Amino acid sequence: MNHNYSFSAFSKQSSKGILVIYGDILIKILKQTWVLFLLFLSKISEISEGQSFYIYLGVLVVFMFSLVRAYLSYINFKFKIENNHFVLKKGIIRKTNTSIAFDRIQNINFKQNLIQQFINVYGVSIETAGSNKTEIVIKALSHSKALALKELISTTDTSSEVPIEKEKPLLNIKIKELLKVSLTENHFRSLLLLLALIIGFFQQIEPILESLGGKEFLDEYLNQSTEAILGSIILLVVLILFLMFVSVCSSFVRIFLRHFNLVLFVKKDAFEIYQGLLTKKSIVLKIQKVQSITVSSNPFKRWVGISYVIFKQALSGKVKNKKDKLIKIIGCEHNQVNLIKNHLFDIRELDSSQKQFTDSYYKLRMLFQSFLILVSINIVIFSIFDILYILFINLLLIPFSFFLVHKKNKKTFYKISNNLILVGKGLIETHHTYFQLFKVQNVKMKQTIFQQRKDVVDLILQTASGKIKIPCISTKNGTDIYNHILFNVENSKQPWM
């Protein structure tokens, strides 16, 4: 070990952590009360001196109470390492003791937000598979102490290695790739999110405008503007293009801030990922804990030659938003994707395997579902407009539906070898999931009465990171894969966690 820290006895965070905790508390309060603050500013001329005194006194009490709370949180937060366990004590009134074995730790995250960068400390969070939230969060450690803690907790021995700044990364995503990613994002979704934020903002400030007597003026102005825009096709097109431009810019800013200088290093048994501009993050991801990886792309991403690589780990069933737990490497070129796959699996096993597609029943089922959706759309459109020729929209909807069914059917396939399985799916986007068979927790075949008539089944692989489904394959192929996976699981001695 290349440090002088001993974690055998309880130690505290850096004393600068009081500022970080204090800042976090104030930010939470501000997020919950910013509307009240704006309301106070709008009525400040109507408030008497006596009322102002009590308001300012209340604000001062909140600031002082938050400072006392931050101090008490700091002095009651203690941690140590004992018998390959991370032990944590914390709490002001309700005390909690947490002990986590090293082999349960999935990844270690290091973060520096603006406050932490300013006072030169690091935040550390430790995640396991058995919880729906991050179990351990340390607000402030010095750089050297954070590195020492990482060296002890992760099984990666970095004592004899070159300092991280001098190592050659496995991949480095530069600004050019970030620009490609931002241009190929789902801007329709970003546009809807932008509109939702604008609507939410106006709903929040509506009480303030009403108190200022400006609500009627704003409503009249919006109505006139909306009528003017809807009355001019050119203005409508310009507005849509402007919103799309704002959407592209917002996507670039979001991606640039979150993934700036994205670098992936490979240690003996772990990936180390560094990224971020305003908030710098470092993630230590143990290779053994990776349950599967998914390589995702869309037509625009394939056109510019990039993909996403998503690492999936074991998740608790209590986790509501599982997307937040995914670790994603964006803007990867084809050779970089292959480098990541080769560090996790012997991908050559799949080269000799033949790609297997779903039974024709799968396409027929999707066509029937599309027919029902089209009938529902036609009924709704005709009931609203009550004009027969509006149904000519089917000249566009029917070919488009056939196109989507064809694309989804073509993208749904699987390849299987002795130890690996590749499952493909997608509609507009394409997702290829790679999974080691010995990590399957449960496998089952499902068959509806309609599938029974066609002699096809759905094969569902239950993993620690979620379900992997192969739909509508022949019963014989499903049975062969079922037996092959069970044989692989029973005879494998490799740890899957």
Side-chain angles (χ1 to χ4, degrees), residues 4-62:
N4 298 320
Y5 293 99
S6 175
F7 295 97
S8 57
F10 279 109
S11 61
K12 296 182 179 179
Q13 306 175 74
S14 168
S15 57
K16 300 176 183 178
I18 298 176
L19 294 177
V20 179
I21 300 171
Y22 186 50
D24 285 348
I25 294 173
L26 293 181
I27 289 172
K28 289 178 182 178
I29 294 174
L30 182 62
K31 286 180 178 179
Q32 295 173 355
T33 61
W34 68 272
V35 175
L36 294 177
F37 177 72
L38 292 179
L39 187 61
F40 167 72
L41 290 180
S42 67
K43 291 183 175 293
I44 193 169
S45 59
E46 304 174 11
I47 299 174
S48 64
E49 291 185 4
Q51 292 174 329
S52 298
F53 171 77
Y54 288 109
I55 290 174
Y56 292 132
L57 180 62
V59 171
L60 179 62
V61 169
V62 170

Side-chain angles (χ1 to χ4, degrees), residues 59 63 108 110 118 162 187 190 202 226 248 309 361 437 458:
V59 171
F63 272 82
I108 310 163
F110 293 80
F118 181 73
V162 185
H187 296 297
S190 300
F202 278 111
T226 303
V248 172
V309 178
Y361 170 77
L437 296 179
D458 293 336

Side-chain angles (χ1 to χ4, degrees), residues 478-490:
T479 304
D480 291 342
I481 297 172
Y482 180 90
N483 293 329
H484 176 65
I485 292 175
L486 289 181
F487 177 81
N488 196 294
V489 171
E490 290 294 333

Side-chain angles (χ1 to χ4, degrees), residues 305-367:
I306 59 172
S307 300
Y308 284 4
V309 178
I310 302 169
F311 298 94
K312 296 182 179 180
Q313 299 175 280
L315 294 174
S316 168
K318 299 177 182 179
V319 177
K320 294 181 180 179
N321 194 354
K322 297 185 178 182
K323 290 184 179 180
D324 294 339
K325 293 289 185 179
L326 300 178
I327 298 175
K328 184 185 297 185
I329 307 295
I330 67 170
C332 296
E333 297 178 350
H334 181 69
N335 62 321
Q336 295 173 328
V337 173
N338 288 334
L339 286 174
I340 294 174
K341 290 191 294 187
N342 289 330
H343 274 86
L344 290 168
F345 321 116
D346 185 2
I347 209 68
R348 294 171 298 179
E349 292 185 19
L350 292 172
D351 293 340
S352 58
S353 301
Q354 187 176 0
K355 185 182 289 188
Q356 303 288 335
F357 292 92
T358 58
D359 189 84
S360 59
Y361 170 77
Y362 184 60
K363 189 172 185 178
L364 291 173
R365 188 175 71 180
M366 288 191 294
L367 287 172

Side-chain angles (χ1 to χ4, degrees), residues 178-192:
L178 294 181
L179 180 60
K180 290 180 180 179
V181 171
S182 63
L183 291 174
T184 56
E185 283 286 277
N186 187 345
H187 296 297
F188 181 72
R189 181 177 58 191
S190 300
L191 182 60
L192 292 178

Side-chain angles (χ1 to χ4, degrees), residues 10 76-80 86-92 94-100 104 135-136:
F10 279 109
N76 286 286
F77 191 100
K78 301 175 183 178
F79 64 92
K80 70 175 181 178
F86 187 96
V87 182
L88 171 66
K89 291 184 177 181
K90 66 176 182 177
I92 300 175
R94 188 179 69 177
K95 308 285 186 178
T96 60
N97 295 332
T98 305
S99 178
I100 299 178
R104 278 188 57 211
E135 292 193 78
I136 294 175

